[in-house]
Amino acid sequence: MAEDVHASVFAVDPRPEETVVVSGAAGGVGALAVQLARRRGATVVGLASEANHSWLTAHGVVPVVYGKGAADRIRKAADGKRVDAFIDTFGDGYVDMAVDLGVRPERINTVRDWRAAARVGARTYGEGSAAAAVVVGELARLAARGDLDVPIARVYPLERVREAFRDLERGHAQGKIVLRP
């Protein structure tokens, strides 16, 4: 999944003075994506439940509650600036929302909604497309230096792998779900 994060951020190429939205911003992929986009100098708007807003704020992210009316809340959070890029880590209509917000398809990346991406011409980098020792090594160095916070939602012993996957499928964990051998 670390490769997914790097590929997603690389795909939309956030720049200083730009606004990037990340869906699932406090999840396993989103929590890292918001930090990497911030490191590139972008203003980051993170879609997440209100329970995760303090974590996002502490990481320099403008938090926005997901759900009905989220597009209007994003526009307000962007403070009159246009939304330049969108990283979708959740699916569920966010590719279409990005288009409605005026984001050019080549600046939209999803790791979940491949049909919508194909329909609008958005990117689907992730799922191992950046799987390289160099990428994993760089992310590990950032984490070791304290420049990348890798939140751990829960740790499960390997014999509880089914329970871990059920937790992962619910999709509301803040950070990574870890299996311990």
Side-chain angles (χ1 to χ4, degrees), residues 77-171:
D79 200 27
K81 298 176 188 169
R82 70 176 206 188
V83 175
D84 301 288
F86 201 110
I87 299 171
D88 172 32
T89 72
F90 193 78
D92 197 31
Y94 285 116
V95 169
D96 291 325
M97 177 189 287
V99 171
D100 291 344
L101 288 167
V103 181
R104 295 188 332 265
E106 65 271 14
R107 299 292 306 280
I108 301 168
N109 191 71
T110 182
V111 297
R112 298 290 299 258
D113 197 347
W114 301 279
R115 283 189 181 138
R119 184 172 26 80
V120 305
R123 297 172 184 243
T124 57
Y125 293 172
E127 296 304 313
S129 63
V134 172
V135 170
V136 175
E138 177 58 23
L139 295 175
R141 279 188 291 284
L142 288 171
R145 287 194 320 247
D147 292 333
L148 183 66
D149 180 13
V150 182
I152 305 298
R154 285 174 225 36
V155 177
Y156 290 92
L158 190 56
E159 57 272 6
R160 290 177 48 202
V161 67
R162 288 184 180 171
E163 185 180 342
F165 271 99
R166 280 193 298 273
D167 194 5
L168 181 63
E169 287 174 343
R170 281 193 286 275

Side-chain angles (χ1 to χ4, degrees), residues 1-6 8-9 22-36 47-48 52 55-56 87-90 111-112 139 148-154 167-178:
M1 284 302 223
E3 299 88 5
D4 294 349
V5 173
H6 185 270
S8 292
V9 175
V22 178
S23 68
V29 174
L32 301 178
V34 296
Q35 293 176 75
L36 292 176
L47 289 164
N52 294 310
W55 185 90
L56 291 170
I87 299 171
D88 172 32
T89 72
F90 193 78
V111 297
R112 298 290 299 258
L139 295 175
L148 183 66
D149 180 13
V150 182
I152 305 298
R154 285 174 225 36
D167 194 5
L168 181 63
E169 287 174 343
R170 281 193 286 275
H172 291 284
Q174 181 185 354
K176 297 288 189 183
I177 294 174
V178 176

Side-chain angles (χ1 to χ4, degrees), residues 14-20 37-38 40-43 81-82 84:
R15 299 176 197 126
E17 307 303 318
E18 288 190 330
T19 300
V20 178
R38 286 285 301 132
R40 305 253 333 243
T43 297
K81 298 176 188 169
R82 70 176 206 188
D84 301 288

